[in-house]
Amino acid sequence: MRSKITTYEELFENNRQWAAENLRKDPKYFEKMARGQKPHFLLISCSDSRVPITGITGVAPGDMFVHRNVANVVDHTDMNVLSVLQYSVEVLKVQHIIVCGHYNCGGVAASMESKPHGLIDNWLRNIRDVYRLHYRELDAISDPEQRRRRLVELNVIEQAYNVAKISFVQNAIRRAHKPLEIHGWVYEIRTGLIKDLEIDLETAYAEHGHIYEMGTS
């Protein structure tokens, strides 16, 4: 097992070793990488250092476009995530958008606390809005840990819905020749396994999809 990296210099040494190993396997490895990217996946995940998303999915460089922020939030006022989404959909033409949260998420836990956290409270409001939407289900869960775990899942689901509400994402979903799929995952840090929440957007918006112009027609 690799020892824990603690010094800044180790990052460069590891980089040199990594580059040399890839060149040993394929002398044109980086030449091929420099030609461009054509990933099939966009993944929006939490910034938590315990979630090495490319590692746990086994994808190679060039296979997955990644955006990370605290608690994997998709806010319609966040130009960063909107820019990533538009580039992924309209330029890279990814086939799958995945929102991936994780249990034991500090952002989700903080959003459930009745105390100030400073600037980040403005960001956590997005998760508190998720709690407000699902408060009956969440308040019925007596165990605090299980309530946090469920909020992690509900947050992923609502952020995936937020992705689907974006106009250029909807346009891509309507492309008959190559439809765009939206998924919600939760990573379990204790086991290293991913749970697919199997989000069904059509069912979710069956009653009020017209408000967000949802649909595939």
Side-chain angles (χ1 to χ4, degrees):
M1 182 176 180
R2 189 179 65 178
S3 60
K4 185 177 179 65
I5 297 173
T6 59
T7 68
Y8 182 70
E9 290 73 17
E10 287 179 276
L11 299 176
F12 289 94
E13 178 57 31
N14 287 346
N15 170 248
R16 285 189 287 270
Q17 294 179 14
W18 174 81
E21 178 62 18
N22 279 289
L23 288 173
R24 185 188 65 79
K25 295 177 181 178
D26 182 358
K28 295 186 177 182
Y29 179 83
F30 294 106
E31 180 182 331
K32 294 175 183 177
M33 286 289 104
R35 293 172 186 167
Q37 59 175 325
K38 194 64 177 176
H40 289 172
F41 308 95
L42 164 64
L43 188 129
I44 301 170
S45 70
C46 183
S47 300
D48 195 298
S49 63
R50 300 167 297 173
V51 187
I53 201 64
T54 54
I56 64 179
T57 54
V59 296
D63 290 344
M64 181 178 284
F65 204 59
V66 177
H67 173 79
R68 304 183 72 158
N69 62 50
V70 174
N72 41 273
V73 167
V74 179
D75 188 312
H76 73 282
T77 66
D78 180 4
M79 296 303 294
N80 193 339
V81 72
L82 290 179
S83 299
V84 168
L85 279 162
Q86 184 172 26
Y87 183 74
S88 299
V89 169
E90 297 185 352
V91 179
L92 297 177
K93 300 189 184 304
V94 297
Q95 297 173 26
H96 301 270
I97 298 176
I98 304 161
V99 178
C100 181
H102 66 97
Y103 297 117
N104 301 109
C105 178
V108 170
S111 73
M112 300 175 73
E113 297 174 344
S114 299
K115 64 180 182 180
H117 299 88
L119 176 65
I120 198 172
D121 282 324
N122 297 281
W123 186 257
L124 296 179
R125 198 206 72 178
N126 293 285
I127 309 172
R128 292 181 175 126
D129 286 343
V130 174
Y131 198 117
R132 176 177 55 81
L133 289 171
H134 300 276
Y135 76 92
R136 288 188 178 89
E137 176 186 351
L138 291 166
D139 287 352
I141 302 173
S142 59
D143 182 79
E145 181 178 355
Q146 292 305 315
R147 192 183 308 121
R148 284 192 296 270
R149 288 173 67 88
R150 182 54 179 158
L151 182 54
V152 165
E153 296 174 350
L154 291 171
N155 183 52
V156 167
I157 292 170
E158 291 297 334
Q159 304 312 322
Y161 291 168
N162 287 343
V163 170
K165 296 172 189 174
I166 298 170
S167 58
F168 51 80
V169 173
Q170 292 175 9
N171 291 336
I173 291 175
R174 295 186 182 102
R175 291 200 302 257
H177 64 289
K178 186 182 289 185
L180 177 64
E181 297 182 17
I182 300 173
H183 312 274
W185 292 357
V186 179
Y187 175 60
E188 175 61 87
I189 294 175
R190 292 171 180 156
T191 65
L193 299 178
I194 298 168
K195 177 181 180 179
D196 187 345
L197 297 178
E198 299 180 356
I199 295 174
D200 185 345
L201 291 173
E202 290 188 8
T203 299
Y205 285 98
E207 295 184 0
H208 55 273
H210 63 285
I211 298 174
Y212 301 106
E213 300 181 359
M214 293 295 297
T216 57
S217 60

